[in-house]
Structures are given as structure tokens and as C-alpha cells.
Amino acid sequence: MTSDSFAIAKDGTRIFFKDWGPRDAQPIMFHHGWPLSSDDWDAQMLYFVDKGYRVVAHDRRGHGRSDQVSSGHDMDHYASDAFAVVEHLDLNNVVHIGHSTGGGEVARYVARHGLPSGRVAKAVLVAAVPPLMLKTPANPDGLPLEVFDGFRAALAANRAQFFRDVPSGPFYGFNRDGTAPQEGVIQNWWRQGMTGSAKAHYDGIKAFSETDQTEDLKAMTVPTLVLHGDDDQIVPIANSALKAVELLPNGTLKVYPGLSHGMLTVNADTLNPDLLAFIKA
């Protein structure tokens, strides 16, 4: 890494990014999930750079190789940091693809930065958290606060073990009968998580679970593809994709029977062509 591998956020935080492919090609920017890094997009970045696209992915603040700052672990900063990367690279006509928490980041980015700046072309939300994960009086079908308190307790008690248990079980559906765990995938998830900051990960739980993004979705007038597996044990489809597509002015939903939250990795051969078809349409 060199100084050329970082954009500088408004508060001075250094945001690490990768930028591959022809500089004059249409850019695709990838936004990773919690608690991972831009490395989680390997299967997509290699696929799309081979198709002639410019591919960009960044590490969220406190994650991966970006600065491990104490503050700013919320959707507003996540979106602003992504815009710092876009401005640094002067990207236009960008397709933004976000997974899980990264999907929330994309929604806020498009609503607050992408559309006002005129730099966004399309968006994709994959197994994404919007509109709201938390159970509230206005969102009675959400998950109870106790679920997310449990995440925080497990992280604080033994982050290394927690970051082993999640990918070994529900994240990729390896806890389902007849599904063979992929040890390399599990270890790579653990590696990415442990590279980041425990503070960023702890605070990030509130960001991905308690941020109401109803208005962000309503503001996303660009063509938006929503992809979700109906066996997603991390972000249940009923609380997310099925509601999100109803709020999007220009949204399309594709549901993958039996696929998990981590389908971008373990089912990349299925999802990548669908992403390409949407981008080319």
C-alpha cells in the first residue's frame, strides 16, 4: 500500500481502496458487509475486470486497511467516506453494488451523495439491511433488540471466536443439513474480520440494525436491483428485500431459493451473470 491507495474523508480518516481496470471504462463500485473488507469482493472484481469494467472497492472506516478511528461508525459517515473515494477518483456513471451493511451504505450514498452529484447510474442491493432490521412499534416484524445485544456481547467477550462461529454457521448456510463447510471461505471471513477494529465492529452493529433507511430507498430513483436468498439467516428476506422493493421507485427484486447471506461468495457463478445482465441492460 502507498499513499495512492487511500482517499481522505472529511474528518481526515484515510479510506483504503482498490482500483482495477481501464480508467475510461464504466466503473463499478463495491461496498462490503460487516465486519469484512474490500477483499470480500474478490469473486466479483475479478469477474468484472475481465469483462472490461473499471472496478473499485474500499475498506469501510475501521475495517480492513482503512484507519482504525474511534468515531464515525454510522451510515452517514459510511456514505460520506464512499463519496470521498468517488471524488478522489473522479468516478462518473457509477454502478454501486452493496452487500448487507454495504447495501445500507449504498442506499444512503445514492440518496445523499450519488444523485445530488449526478455521478450514479444504477444500484444493486444484495442481502442488504434496508429498510430497517430492528423491531420497533413502526416495524413490528423486525428483530428484537436482544438479538443485536447478543452480537455485541459475543464480540466483546471473544471477538475471535465469534468471528469463527458466524461464517462456520449461518452466514454461508454451512449449518444446513447437506451443506459442506468450505474451510478456506470460513478462514478468509475470520481473517478479514480480525484485520479490522473491534470498536468499529461493535459500533457498526448499531449502524446496521437501528438505521431506518425508508427515506433513502424512496429517494433512489435510479434503476435498482434487489437480490436476496430466501434462506438468509442473517438478514431475513421478509424484513428487508421484500419491504425494500416496495419502497424503491425503480426497483426490481430477484429471489434465490435456498441461498444464504453469503451467496456472493459461495454462489458467485450464479450471481455474477445476473449482475452483469443488469449492468448491461
Side-chain angles (χ1 to χ4, degrees):
M1 294 184 297
T2 69
S3 60
D4 293 336
S5 302
F6 295 87
I8 308 300
K10 285 186 175 181
D11 63 0
T13 301
R14 297 183 312 152
I15 305 298
F16 172 82
F17 65 85
K18 305 173 185 178
D19 179 14
W20 305 344
R23 294 302 180 261
D24 60 349
Q26 183 178 19
I28 305 172
M29 186 165 171
F30 299 94
H31 305 247
H32 66 79
W34 177 97
L36 305 171
S37 74
S38 56
D39 293 352
D40 203 45
W41 291 106
D42 285 354
Q44 284 69 48
M45 292 187 72
L46 290 171
Y47 178 86
F48 282 102
V49 77
D50 186 59
K51 301 294 184 184
Y53 290 90
R54 181 179 183 178
V55 293
V56 176
H58 66 292
D59 293 353
R60 188 169 300 124
R61 65 170 54 213
H63 296 61
R65 288 137 295 204
S66 291
D67 284 350
Q68 294 198 5
V69 292
S70 177
S71 61
H73 307 297
D74 54 69
M75 285 296 178
D76 285 347
H77 280 86
Y78 295 167
S80 179
D81 293 350
F83 191 45
V85 176
V86 169
E87 289 191 304
H88 178 79
L89 297 174
D90 193 23
L91 302 178
N92 290 286
N93 195 34
V94 188
V95 178
H96 288 273
I97 303 178
H99 174 242
S100 195
T101 301
E105 180 178 299
V106 166
R108 181 133 306 174
Y109 170 85
V110 171
R112 302 278 182 90
H113 303 281
L115 283 168
S117 68
R119 292 178 179 267
V120 59
K122 296 180 179 181
V124 184
L125 308 179
V126 185
V129 297
L132 176 63
M133 290 193 71
L134 183 69
K135 181 178 182 178
T136 66
N139 186 43
D141 298 327
L143 297 173
L145 181 63
E146 291 76 16
V147 171
F148 305 108
D149 286 341
F151 290 173
R152 281 182 278 264
L155 189 151
N158 189 339
R159 182 169 66 130
Q161 186 60 52
F162 183 46
F163 284 5
R164 177 74 183 183
D165 294 342
V166 173
S168 299
F171 196 93
Y172 296 108
F174 292 153
N175 57 339
R176 296 307 198 200
D177 290 343
T179 302
Q182 299 178 34
E183 190 59 33
V185 169
I186 295 167
Q187 291 186 19
N188 191 43
W189 200 101
W190 184 91
R191 175 193 65 82
Q192 290 179 70
M194 294 305 293
T195 301
S197 156
K199 179 69 162 60
H201 296 157
Y202 189 93
D203 291 354
I205 295 170
K206 180 179 179 69
F208 74 64
S209 64
E210 298 184 33
T211 305
D212 188 340
Q213 298 196 259
T214 299
E215 296 307 315
D216 293 332
L217 294 170
K218 290 179 179 179
M220 293 177 69
T221 54
V222 296
T224 303
L225 178 63
V226 179
L227 304 180
H228 220 101
D230 70 2
D231 193 34
D232 190 324
Q233 301 171 68
I234 304 297
V235 180
I237 188 172
N239 301 336
S240 52
L242 298 186
K243 293 182 177 181
V245 74
E246 295 298 323
L247 295 167
L248 289 163
N250 196 3
T252 302
L253 173 65
K254 184 175 179 61
V255 177
Y256 296 90
L259 295 196
S260 69
H261 189 64
M263 61 185 180
L264 276 166
T265 298
V266 293
N267 305 104
D269 57 339
T270 297
L271 269 72
N272 286 350
D274 290 344
L275 292 170
L276 179 62
F278 172 72
I279 292 168
K280 293 174 69 174

